[in-house]
Amino acid sequence: MDTAKWKLSGDRWLQPIPQPPEHAWGFLGNVPDVNITAMSASYGRLVALYGPIFKLNLLNKHIIILSSQELINEVCDESRFSKMLGVLKEVRLALGDGLITSLTTEHNWKLAHKLLMTSFGPMAIRDMFPSMLDITSQMILKLERMGPSHVFDASDIFTRLSLDIIALIGFDYRFNSFYTDTTHPFVSSLMGMLKEASRRSTRSNLGNKVRFWAWRDFQRHSNTMHRLCDEIIEDRRKNPKDVNDILDVMLTARDKETGEGLSDENIRFNVETMLAAGHETTSGLLSFTFWELLKHPDKLQKAIAEVDSVLADDELRVEHLPKLKYVDAVLKESLRLHPPAAQIAVHPTGGNGVLAGKYAYSSTDIFVLNLVDLHRDPLVWGPDAITFRPERMLDGGFESLPPNSWVPFGKGARACIGRAFAIQEASMAIALVLQRCQVELADPTYELKVEQTVTQNPVGLFLKARLRPGWVSQGSFGGRSSVSASPPSVQLRPLLPQATARSSRSPEGASLTILYGSNSGTCKSFAEDVQAAAPSFGFVADKIQTLDDAAGNLPQGRPIIIITATYNGQPTDDAKKFVSWLESSTGNTTKLQGVIYTLLGVGNSDYVTTYQRVPKLIDALMEHSGACKFAPVGLANVAEDVYGAFDEWLQDIWKALQAYTAAQTESKPLELEIQLKDRLGSTSEKNMILGTVREHREIANDGLGYVKKHIEIVLPNGMSDYLSILPTNNGPTIRRVLNRFSLLADATITFKNSKKSYLPNEKPEHVYALLEHYVELNFPASRKQLAILAEVTKNEAEKLEVDRLATSVFKTEVLDKRASVIDILEAFPSCSLPFATFINMLPPLQARQFSISSSALAVKAGNIVTITYDVLAAPSLSNPKRTHFGVASTYLSGLHPDDKIHCSIRPNTSNFYLPSDSTLPVILIAAGTGIAPMRSFIQERAAIACAGGNTPVGKAIFYFGCRHPRKDYLYKPELLSWEKLGVVQMRPCFSRYPRASAGFRYVPERIWAEREELKALFEVGAKVFVCGSASKLARSTEEGVVGGAEGWE
């Protein structure tokens, strides 16, 4: 802490409140630091840099942002601070002096609050249950009727739900939102009004005055809302109803002391307020809650288990609600991470003062309570404050929270009057959806995007819903199907009885279910290969599905083939829900009785601790739950012959299935037509975005190892921990294929009968584009591919040699030398492989994943990332006379500024991220381009240190292995400048020049020599990060350091 800036005031020292540097010599103040549509994200970045208190100059006002429980709890003292309208001051231009947009001191607020309180009391909320059930039932029926393949916008459907509920309960008015495809004009106008109000709050008075067109739209939206509310009120006055709803209270209630009632104008404003706030809050709450549940399948399964336990097959009743304790905890946790109104403004009422005993403020200062970061204060919520963990709200956890640490509904007298209303309708919606439906993300790779006006809501969150097994859509609110749920009996010998086969046959063959879990695309490609081969063995699989598609819905009495991988020790994105579903009922040993399956696990043995973890877990859970394997589990190792292992496993599978059907059908061979005409074409992996290269430079090229480069990419929005790049195959390799098959570069091809989704079936494609964009050309050949090549090799001597490669020398001659199919074809000219067969045996071109080497805190835009990579260009191991070019690195190396690149961001699902407490020490270990994530860590801490805020950084030691201090010491000027700043201590190890690294050649030996220093850091909670070759650096570090840890004592 820089105490030189502190000032003595009276008998105490006062600390200055930090502020980010102003822009454009002060003319723009801090306006560029804040994105008005993502205010919480902007504040979150500044909190990380400047700590829990900082001030901003937004031109039209100066504000002080508070983000910790300690500070916010103090300003919640209503004897010293009072609520300000903030952005609601602009909303007031439309909603007048309704409950939310009026000041606590105003007469109309006091009167309306007093008269309407009874409408939201416990008994009144309980009496609202039938109407809430009425509307929620409409939503459930709509989900059922849309079908399992229908994609819907979460915000849209929950907006319809909450709007219809508040309209019916509050004003006996039906919007009938579930019977129309269009958004009601009131909602459209409300959103338009709120967006403009949010913009107006950040502009100067002059800026608002000159935007007359924006003011005209604001008034148009406001008038649309006014007309609807006036119609509702006028209809009630003309046609009185014997209902005791909120509108009736507004029209008839009188203050017992003064006899005063609400004015006509104030009734209109409060009707608008109820409709606006009453649906915005719950819509956002439900959207965020389902997002969190779907991203945390274990929590989803707990919620489902509770709903099943409490409701079973019954219709939801009001007495069920208090028993849904875990659902209530889920909602509280969702509100913690995603408070509907993310900021509250207050101002001092007692003149100048001092906050927290060290920050001076004046009577004119405005304090903004940053609820998002308040709800993530590690001093209250612990080191996992950013994690969705509903359990923290159970067993007294919620009740024991410090005061004003959880305030999603506001605070004190100005807390939301409809809190209990929102919780009850949200609880009912979750209970009914989970009881009857399986909900899933339409796009499993979707990452949360939040748009903020007065409230915040997710954007682009699309879902799908299907009926849970046993439920039938009856056009009314019925229960489960009356069909018996008893599983069919399954005999172990034979594993697949003929009787079962006959019951599940289609006209083309016996039915087969193929499921996969895949992030990189390998397992999906294998699943497509199984689907394509199935007809040849008497089976048919109409489609392949993700494992998540089958969660809670595994078919019985038909063979299931599962192909899945492990991603950072966890299930793949499209298998998380499936694994959690299996884990949720480990005590039920008959849950999967009648399910018959086998499984192929795909993994990389370099990652010793997590190798095949998820496939083995799935197998163990399924077997424990009563499922029966019809063939042994297969394990394919990416570090070896993954395709050969797949081929061998698949042959065993078909043999095991032979008893399942006697019929054999022939599949149609893949055909293609070649035409001599030009046609440009390309493809890209699903879920890719288009980035733009901003900078590209060499950072090492002195003859020691590969050339190393640094590339900076601008993304459309956001960033994460990894960047997946979809490369293209390089020109030299493509020309080798063209030459080998005597194809012209300007030819087009048309595939027929292909069942592989990555091939352009039944449409012409440019042959060069096919080889460039669609298939992997450099993967090592598998034993099966070698067998195919041998069959079409005409020269007997060459045929014997190809056969030999598939024997005991396969690993040394093919895998270790990475001999691809095109390498084999060039080595044996008499091999007459058709081009169609060549394409059909190749896997799809896959994205390559790179660790991001930059920190979002260091880039104000927040959407610029860098990656650091080796350019692989070296003599081919299979033919030293030829140069082998790495696919991804060659592609990246050819990019220039302003070039476009297909890429996607991926979050870190492991524990590889800096601790939320920046004061904790870290030990970083890397070699070569493994420096990438370490650079981002150090850059983040440097940004925090340079900000000059109140967030100190802990000690960081970086052990970096390279060859020479002047040749491949990557980012040396940056690292030394950060060392000078005090955020890192560099401990390099130069294998070719050890005298420049205290005599140490390699990282493990230096770590061992300095173990006493590291031991002291471990004792205060240091976290260790290692990045480099899993088979070299990580293993040697583990053996040399962890293996000798006993000697540290």
Side-chain angles (χ1 to χ4, degrees):
M1 188 69 65
D2 184 6
T3 56
K5 297 180 180 179
W6 289 40
K7 296 180 180 179
L8 183 64
S9 177
D11 60 348
R12 56 184 165 183
W13 288 92
L14 298 181
Q15 183 177 345
I17 298 174
Q19 178 184 359
E22 296 188 2
H23 298 264
W25 301 281
F27 288 108
L28 296 179
N30 295 116
V31 171
D33 293 313
V34 179
N35 181 351
I36 62 170
T37 63
M39 197 84 73
S40 296
S42 299
Y43 287 166
R45 177 179 177 276
L46 295 173
V47 169
L49 289 171
Y50 298 97
I53 179 171
F54 56 89
K55 57 186 176 181
L56 297 175
N57 173 13
L58 300 182
L59 299 184
N60 60 335
K61 58 181 174 289
H62 292 73
I63 61 175
I64 299 173
I65 311 296
L66 305 179
S67 303
S68 71
Q69 185 272 337
E70 177 193 10
L71 297 172
I72 288 178
N73 183 51
E74 186 170 343
V75 300
C76 285
D77 182 352
E78 295 184 349
S79 67
R80 295 172 55 196
F81 301 89
S82 179
K83 179 183 175 181
M84 294 185 66
L85 292 182
V87 66
L88 294 176
K89 180 180 178 182
E90 303 300 333
V91 179
R92 182 179 173 123
L93 296 173
L95 301 187
D97 57 358
L99 273 174
I100 292 178
T101 49
S102 55
L103 296 172
T104 312
T105 55
E106 288 186 86
H107 175 73
N108 275 353
W109 180 85
K110 295 177 181 178
L111 179 62
H113 191 264
K114 184 176 183 180
L115 295 179
L116 293 174
M117 277 294 292
T118 57
S119 297
F120 294 94
M123 292 307 298
I125 297 297
R126 182 183 176 89
D127 291 342
M128 295 173 183
F129 179 87
S131 295
M132 289 184 177
L133 184 61
D134 176 351
I135 301 300
T136 311
S137 301
Q138 292 180 27
M139 181 187 72
I140 298 296
L141 291 173
K142 184 176 181 67
L143 292 177
E144 292 177 357
R145 289 165 178 165
M146 288 190 302
S149 61
H150 182 81
V151 174
F152 60 91
D153 187 323
S155 292
D156 174 71
I157 200 162
F158 293 134
T159 292
R160 293 169 187 265
L161 172 72
S162 50
L163 180 67
D164 281 21
I165 286 177
I166 185 60
L168 180 61
I169 291 175
F171 317 111
D172 196 34
Y173 183 88
R174 289 187 180 270
F175 280 102
N176 290 322
S177 298
F178 293 111
Y179 298 95
T180 178
D181 293 330
T182 58
T183 302
H184 195 280
F186 179 89
V187 176
S188 302
S189 294
L190 172 66
M191 296 310 299
M193 182 274 290
L194 291 177
K195 287 180 180 179
E196 177 56 20
S198 183
R199 297 188 190 103
R200 288 179 61 85
S201 69
T202 61
R203 300 189 198 120
S204 64
N205 291 332
L206 178 61
N208 281 325
K209 287 180 180 179
V210 298
R211 287 174 171 80
F212 60 88
W213 62 91
W215 174 245
R216 183 180 58 213
D217 288 342
F218 183 90
Q219 289 181 309
R220 176 171 55 82
H221 292 314
S222 301
N223 289 335
T224 298
M225 297 165 61
H226 293 337
R227 280 195 298 272
L228 173 68
C229 294
D230 289 344
E231 289 173 7
I232 292 174
I233 297 168
E234 183 62 24
D235 180 70
R236 177 64 63 86
R237 290 188 187 279
K238 290 181 178 179
N239 304 288
K241 298 180 179 179
D242 185 20
V243 291
N244 185 26
D245 59 10
I246 298 173
L247 180 55
D248 184 65
V249 174
M250 290 183 186
L251 292 171
T252 63
R254 296 292 182 268
D255 188 326
K256 293 181 180 179
E257 296 177 2
T258 66
E260 184 181 7
L262 301 180
S263 68
D264 289 349
E265 182 183 54
N266 191 250
I267 290 173
R268 172 217 266 179
F269 290 147
N270 275 304
V271 170
E272 290 178 333
T273 297
M274 294 290 178
L275 287 173
H279 92 271
E280 270 282 288
T281 299
T282 311
S283 172
L285 169 57
L286 285 170
S287 298
F288 283 122
T289 299
F290 273 98
W291 153 255
E292 292 289 1
L293 287 174
L294 292 171
K295 295 302 285 187
H296 299 86
D298 56 327
K299 314 304 181 189
L300 174 62
Q301 292 303 322
K302 284 186 178 181
I304 292 173
E306 181 180 76
V307 169
D308 287 348
S309 174
V310 173
L311 270 65
D313 296 343
D314 294 342
E315 290 190 12
L316 180 65
R317 299 190 301 274
V318 70
E319 56 265 28
H320 287 141
L321 297 181
K323 300 176 183 179
L324 297 172
K325 297 187 182 301
Y326 191 77
V327 169
D328 181 70
V330 164
L331 290 171
K332 285 187 171 75
E333 181 74 342
S334 178
L335 285 164
R336 179 181 74 86
L337 292 173
H338 311 285
Q343 289 88 35
I344 300 174
V346 300
H347 68 95
T349 56
N352 300 345
V354 176
L355 186 65
K358 56 186 174 183
Y359 301 111
Y361 63 82
S362 71
S363 60
T364 59
D365 281 337
I366 300 172
F367 291 96
V368 173
L369 282 56
N370 175 18
L371 303 188
V372 171
D373 286 285
L374 162 69
H375 290 168
R376 303 175 189 207
D377 185 344
L379 295 180
V380 174
W381 305 101
D384 66 342
I386 63 172
T387 302
F388 179 75
R389 185 168 62 84
E391 291 77 7
R392 75 174 86 239
M393 300 295 182
L394 297 172
D395 301 323
F398 180 74
E399 291 76 12
S400 62
L401 289 172
N404 295 304
S405 55
W406 186 86
V407 288
F409 292 103
K411 64 181 188 66
R414 295 306 300 252
C416 176
I417 196 174
R419 168 180 169 173
F421 180 99
I423 292 294
Q424 178 166 298
E425 66 174 326
S427 298
M428 293 173 63
I430 290 175
L432 287 171
V433 170
L434 296 186
Q435 182 194 34
R436 298 178 65 92
C437 300
Q438 290 180 339
V439 182
E440 60 189 74
L441 292 169
D443 175 8
T445 66
Y446 169 81
E447 290 299 321
L448 185 65
K449 301 178 182 66
V450 178
E451 183 177 64
Q452 191 169 348
T453 53
V454 176
T455 59
Q456 54 179 6
N457 280 284
V459 178
L461 176 57
F462 292 97
L463 308 176
K464 295 191 291 185
R466 70 181 70 210
L467 281 173
R468 288 179 63 186
W471 285 93
V472 292
S473 180
Q474 299 173 340
S476 63
F477 233 54
R480 294 184 187 269
S481 167
S482 60
V483 177
S484 171
S486 300
S489 59
V490 178
Q491 301 174 5
L492 297 181
R493 303 267 186 226
L495 290 173
L496 299 173
Q498 292 293 327
T500 306
R502 285 192 296 271
S503 65
S504 58
R505 289 185 62 85
S506 72
E508 293 91 359
S511 297
L512 189 68
T513 296
I514 304 172
L515 306 174
Y516 68 88
S518 179
N519 270 1
S520 66
T522 300
C523 291
K524 182 181 179 183
S525 174
F526 285 162
E528 290 176 338
D529 286 344
V530 176
Q531 181 190 31
S536 298
F537 295 90
F539 290 88
V540 62
D542 292 333
K543 64 177 180 178
I544 60 174
Q545 296 176 288
T546 67
L547 281 166
D548 278 353
D549 288 335
N553 194 29
L554 280 177
Q556 297 174 338
R558 61 188 289 184
I560 301 171
I561 296 177
I562 298 172
I563 305 173
T564 191
T566 301
Y567 178 71
N568 285 337
Q570 302 297 319
T572 57
D573 291 342
D574 48 15
K576 291 179 179 179
K577 189 166 68 172
F578 181 81
V579 173
S580 292
W581 169 66
L582 291 177
E583 291 177 325
S584 67
S585 56
T586 53
N588 185 351
T589 58
T590 61
K591 175 179 179 178
L592 299 183
Q593 186 178 345
V595 172
I596 44 182
Y597 76 101
T598 191
L599 182 147
L600 175 69
V602 179
N604 189 329
S605 60
D606 285 346
Y607 300 91
V608 179
T609 58
T610 60
Y611 178 60
Q612 301 289 3
R613 177 186 176 275
V614 172
K616 291 178 180 178
L617 175 64
I618 290 175
D619 178 48
L621 291 172
M622 291 185 67
E623 194 167 46
H624 178 76
S625 298
C628 177
K629 284 195 288 285
F630 67 82
V633 167
L635 299 176
N637 189 356
V638 173
E640 297 178 356
D641 180 19
V642 64
Y643 292 97
F646 166 72
D647 292 335
E648 292 176 6
W649 170 81
L650 188 57
Q651 291 305 312
D652 292 339
I653 297 306
W654 296 133
K655 291 176 183 177
L657 288 169
Q658 288 303 305
Y660 194 66
T661 176
Q664 294 282 325
T665 61
E666 294 295 326
S667 60
K668 295 181 180 179
L670 177 69
E671 300 176 4
L672 62 83
E673 298 174 357
I674 301 180
Q675 302 173 3
L676 299 180
K677 63 178 183 179
D678 178 56
R679 183 186 185 277
L680 296 177
S682 65
T683 188
S684 64
E685 269 197 4
K686 193 177 180 181
N687 306 317
M688 288 280 162
I689 56 177
L690 204 61
T692 303
V693 177
R694 183 180 181 184
E695 180 189 4
H696 200 182
R697 57 187 168 89
E698 287 185 352
I699 54 176
N701 187 11
D702 289 306
L704 291 180
Y706 301 126
V707 173
K708 294 170 175 59
K709 289 192 173 185
H710 166 100
I711 187 170
E712 190 172 285
I713 299 169
V714 181
L715 304 177
N717 50 62
M719 67 173 293
S720 191
D721 304 293
Y722 299 105
L723 189 71
S724 285
I725 302 290
L726 183 64
T728 60
N729 286 310
N730 55 77
T733 305
I734 294 172
R735 284 191 289 274
R736 289 171 57 205
V737 175
L738 293 174
N739 292 338
R740 180 60 177 80
F741 288 97
S742 300
L743 292 172
L744 295 175
D746 60 354
T748 62
I749 60 177
T750 302
F751 289 91
K752 296 179 179 180
N753 305 326
S754 174
K755 291 187 177 180
K756 296 187 175 182
S757 62
Y758 58 89
L759 292 178
N761 198 33
E762 304 291 348
K763 63 179 182 179
E765 181 56 274
H766 196 265
V767 67
Y768 195 95
L770 171 77
L771 297 172
E772 184 178 28
H773 296 287
Y774 288 84
V775 291
E776 291 283 0
L777 299 178
N778 283 350
F779 274 17
S782 68
R783 282 190 171 94
K784 180 181 177 180
Q785 289 171 337
L786 290 172
I788 295 173
L789 294 175
E791 288 180 3
V792 294
T793 301
K794 298 178 180 179
N795 182 280
E796 191 62 29
E798 290 186 357
K799 178 181 176 66
L800 290 174
E801 181 61 18
V802 176
D803 279 331
R804 187 185 72 86
L805 291 177
T807 60
S808 59
V809 300
F810 176 74
K811 183 178 186 305
T812 56
E813 295 296 317
V814 179
L815 289 184
D816 293 349
K817 293 182 178 181
R818 299 195 61 80
S820 65
V821 174
I822 187 60
D823 292 335
I824 304 297
L825 288 171
E826 288 179 332
F828 302 100
S830 72
C831 182
S832 57
L833 185 75
F835 185 60
T837 306
F838 172 74
I839 293 297
N840 200 42
M841 66 168 54
L842 299 178
L845 186 63
Q846 298 175 7
R848 270 66 169 177
Q849 185 166 285
F850 295 83
S851 292
I852 291 175
S853 59
S854 57
S855 167
L857 286 185
V859 183
K860 291 180 180 178
N863 64 331
I864 298 175
V865 300
T866 66
I867 58 176
T868 308
Y869 68 98
D870 291 304
V871 181
L872 177 56
S876 170
L877 296 175
S878 61
N879 182 0
K881 295 181 180 179
R882 180 177 48 78
T883 301
H884 173 77
F885 298 97
V887 177
S889 63
T890 303
Y891 166 72
L892 288 172
S893 185
L895 296 174
H896 299 87
D898 296 325
D899 283 350
K900 303 300 179 184
I901 179 173
H902 283 106
C903 54
S904 66
I905 54 176
R906 300 197 67 86
N908 179 6
T909 59
S910 66
N911 201 30
F912 203 89
Y913 51 82
L914 283 174
S916 57
D917 182 356
S918 63
T919 64
L920 289 177
V922 293
I923 300 166
L924 312 177
I925 304 169
T929 52
I931 195 175
M934 309 310 176
R935 178 179 182 263
S936 73
F937 290 167
I938 302 170
Q939 190 180 62
E940 178 166 323
R941 289 203 162 182
I944 294 172
C946 290
N950 299 322
T951 305
V953 295
K955 187 174 183 177
I957 297 178
F958 185 13
Y959 291 96
F960 180 54
C962 56
R963 294 178 176 86
H964 197 281
R966 293 188 300 274
K967 295 185 177 181
D968 62 344
Y969 192 167
L970 307 184
Y971 300 111
K972 181 178 179 180
E974 262 185 350
L975 293 170
L976 294 182
S977 69
W978 290 333
E979 185 173 40
K980 186 176 181 180
L981 185 64
V983 298
V984 67
Q985 294 180 17
M986 294 301 302
R987 307 287 172 87
C989 297
F990 305 117
S991 61
R992 304 281 182 88
Y993 203 77
R995 62 183 178 179
S997 53
F1000 297 106
R1001 290 180 180 274
Y1002 303 107
V1003 166
E1005 63 185 44
R1006 183 162 191 172
I1007 291 177
W1008 180 247
E1010 298 172 355
R1011 62 187 180 278
E1012 290 301 324
E1013 179 183 8
L1014 302 183
K1015 176 183 175 183
L1017 294 181
F1018 282 128
E1019 290 174 347
V1020 294
K1023 192 171 182 180
V1024 182
F1025 299 91
V1026 182
C1027 187
S1029 170
S1031 60
K1032 296 179 182 178
L1033 178 66
R1035 191 162 293 172
S1036 62
T1037 300
E1038 182 179 21
E1039 292 171 354
V1041 180
V1042 180
E1046 293 181 1
W1048 293 25
E1049 298 300 324

